[in-house]
Amino acid sequence: MPKNNKSRYRALQDAASAIVREFGVSKLDELPQRVALAHLREFAGQLQHETGCHRETARIHIAAACRRLRHPDTPEKAWGGMRPGGFGRREQS
């Protein structure tokens, strides 16, 4: 299985978005919850089969694709850089 990196993440996201877009996220939202969850499980299985990723990874990427299609103005995931408060280890006195 390939290592997780930016290009692998992008490939999984593109494949997940294509699967969800093909069905239609608005159509998915109109379904009863039980039926919608069955479709989401089916989508995750399809993504797992297409990309060879783990079932949990597929589920996470399908959910993220649904969120991105519902809210397209949300900024993308940031890679690298400093996070607030992350200045490394304190020096011992």
Side-chain angles (χ1 to χ4, degrees):
M1 183 159 111
K3 295 199 181 235
N4 292 329
N5 55 27
K6 192 188 289 190
S7 61
R8 171 81 171 151
Y9 174 84
R10 176 74 61 202
L12 287 168
Q13 282 300 316
D14 291 344
S17 292
I19 291 169
V20 175
R21 193 176 292 119
E22 182 180 325
F23 185 80
V25 75
S26 59
K27 193 164 119 179
L28 187 67
D29 291 339
E30 294 171 359
L31 295 173
Q33 184 179 10
R34 182 178 222 144
V35 177
L37 289 175
H39 280 290
L40 290 173
R41 279 192 295 274
E42 181 183 323
F43 297 160
Q46 184 178 348
L47 181 64
Q48 182 183 12
H49 178 71
E50 287 179 9
T51 62
C53 66
H54 190 271
R55 184 96 172 154
E56 182 67 15
T57 302
R59 187 191 67 78
I60 289 169
H61 282 282
I62 290 292
C66 289
R67 281 192 304 271
R68 258 197 334 279
L69 290 172
R70 284 185 192 111
H71 310 287
D73 55 341
T74 304
E76 290 195 26
K77 179 178 179 177
W79 286 86
M82 294 281 293
R83 61 178 169 76
F87 298 111
R89 201 170 176 181
R90 289 188 181 175
E91 298 208 11
Q92 298 289 330
S93 303

